[in-house]
Amino acid sequence: MDVLRPTLIRIGGRVYRKNLIQDQAYQHEEEEDDFCAGPGDCADEPCDAFVVEKTEKGFQCRVEVPSLLYKYVIGKKGETKKRLEAETRTSISIPKPGVEGEIVITGQHRSGVISARTRIDVLLDSFRKKQPFTHFLSFALNQPAIQEKFLQFKEEVLEKCSKDHGVSGSLFQNPAKLHLTLGTLVLLNEQEIQKACDLLQQCKEDFVDQIAGGKPLTVEVVGVEYMNDDPAMTDVLYAKVHMKDGSDRLQVIADQLMERFVASGLMLREWDRVKLHATVMNTVFRKDPSGAYHSSLLVN
């Protein structure tokens, strides 16, 4: 890493520098990163990104963290937690492994509590991005008429291409799982899943129903494309989808849903806008005959 051009991480409207530890590395599952706040360090100014409570002995801050991520705050033999406590002059209480709860930061000085909370947020954000996605947000596309046409497509492909290298029935999507993916999410406990469901319901009330006019959106699935510049290296074949009335309402809803989920922190931004497509063949399905390997949040 170029020390003059460190990686910048945005959390809660603030920007932080990501610095690798040079003198020692703590190993648990992978090398741990250390972080310090960049421009707009909460320790140097009032910070309203989270609540710091005044107590009889000083100050306290609580942060909800999925139990799966506790280990990244603790570190090997507790070294990460000890270092954070020493450098910020705070005490960090972490629930037992596997027990969902809150990490509680306490200290005599408000700036120390804010500094510890900020460093924990940056640390966990980094490791959360390394977790495999658990859910995806999607539009259901499994109506009987579409399923029937899809099965016809599958039959024709297998009839004409079954002798081609690598082509088999296991490559095709499960017709009951046909959908348009809007984005992927990493939801690590029931609380985060519920938060995503609540946000989806709120989006429905705020703009989805209004844009859709309270009626189902009729779409056409016409044509296929592959996701690779080199046809010989294609792993995914997808169907193109557009509104039957020629409007862009489906695209508008998809883009606004993505924006809302990205703003909530539940989804990472991958593209400027959602690419509406329905996967019909994927080499990864060879490993999963069901054609669906993660849970979904469906927009009906």
Side-chain angles (χ1 to χ4, degrees):
M1 177 190 295
D2 187 344
V3 296
L4 298 179
R5 294 181 180 180
T7 301
L8 300 180
I9 300 176
R10 297 178 181 274
I11 299 179
R14 296 179 178 274
V15 181
Y16 302 94
R17 298 188 303 269
K18 175 181 176 181
N19 299 326
L20 289 177
I21 299 174
Q22 299 297 327
D23 55 344
Q24 56 182 328
Y26 302 100
Q27 300 290 330
H28 31 277
E29 288 188 349
E30 49 193 306
E31 182 174 319
E32 177 189 329
D33 298 325
D34 191 23
F35 303 87
C36 65
D41 186 346
C42 285
D44 299 326
E45 60 178 276
C47 181
D48 57 2
F50 40 78
V51 177
V52 178
E53 303 172 335
K54 184 73 170 66
T55 67
E56 295 180 356
K57 298 182 180 180
F59 296 88
Q60 176 179 277
C61 182
R62 297 174 177 271
V63 51
E64 290 187 5
V65 177
S67 59
L68 185 65
L69 299 181
Y70 292 165
K71 58 188 176 184
Y72 299 122
V73 181
I74 297 172
K76 185 179 180 180
K77 297 182 179 180
E79 291 297 331
T80 302
K81 177 175 176 290
K82 293 175 184 176
R83 188 176 75 255
L84 284 172
E85 291 176 324
E87 294 178 355
T88 61
R89 297 183 180 180
T90 59
S91 175
I92 301 173
S93 176
I94 302 175
K96 295 180 179 180
V99 178
E100 298 296 338
E102 297 177 319
I103 290 179
V104 181
I105 307 165
T106 57
Q108 295 184 352
H109 303 285
R110 186 173 186 272
S111 60
V113 172
I114 290 176
S115 179
R117 168 63 190 270
T118 300
R119 293 182 64 176
I120 288 175
D121 281 350
V122 177
L123 181 69
L124 294 180
D125 182 72
S126 175
F127 284 111
R128 179 182 285 274
K129 291 177 180 177
K130 298 176 183 179
Q131 302 294 322
F133 77 87
T134 60
H135 295 72
F136 58 90
L137 182 64
S138 68
F139 290 133
L141 200 65
N142 55 359
Q143 290 76 12
I146 294 178
Q147 290 188 37
E148 182 180 351
K149 291 293 185 181
F150 169 75
L151 290 174
Q152 290 178 11
F153 165 77
K154 177 180 178 180
E155 183 179 347
E156 290 179 13
V157 171
L158 291 178
E159 180 181 348
K160 297 178 181 179
C161 307
S162 60
K163 295 182 180 180
D164 293 347
H165 178 70
V167 177
S168 69
S170 64
L171 294 176
F172 289 83
Q173 174 67 283
N174 183 333
K177 303 294 184 179
L178 288 168
H179 64 273
L180 306 179
T181 299
L182 307 186
T184 58
L185 306 96
V186 177
L187 307 177
L188 301 178
N189 58 21
E190 291 299 324
Q191 290 82 355
E192 292 188 346
I193 294 174
Q194 187 60 51
K195 180 181 177 181
C197 291
D198 292 343
L199 178 58
L200 187 58
Q201 179 61 37
Q202 189 62 50
C203 290
K204 182 177 184 298
E205 297 171 2
D206 289 349
F207 60 85
V208 173
D209 286 342
Q210 180 181 358
I211 296 174
K215 299 179 181 180
L217 298 180
T218 304
V219 301
E220 286 185 325
V221 183
V222 181
V224 293
E225 290 186 4
Y226 53 86
M227 287 190 175
N228 199 301
D229 293 333
D230 182 0
M233 299 297 292
T234 297
D235 288 315
V236 178
L237 187 71
Y238 66 90
K240 295 183 289 185
V241 179
H242 62 268
M243 286 287 296
K244 196 168 185 178
D245 62 8
S247 72
D248 65 347
R249 289 183 296 162
L250 188 65
Q251 185 69 55
V252 171
I253 292 175
D255 290 340
Q256 290 194 25
L257 282 169
M258 180 192 69
E259 292 294 339
R260 189 69 69 89
F261 270 77
V262 169
S264 73
L266 292 172
M267 183 184 295
L268 294 178
R269 182 184 299 280
E270 298 181 61
W271 313 101
D272 291 336
R273 62 184 315 203
V274 176
K275 181 176 178 62
L276 293 173
H277 67 281
T279 297
V280 293
M281 297 176 68
N282 193 331
T283 55
V284 76
F285 293 159
R286 284 199 184 104
K287 301 177 182 178
D288 183 3
S290 71
Y293 40 95
H294 293 84
S295 299
S296 63
L297 299 172
L298 295 176
V299 183
N300 293 311

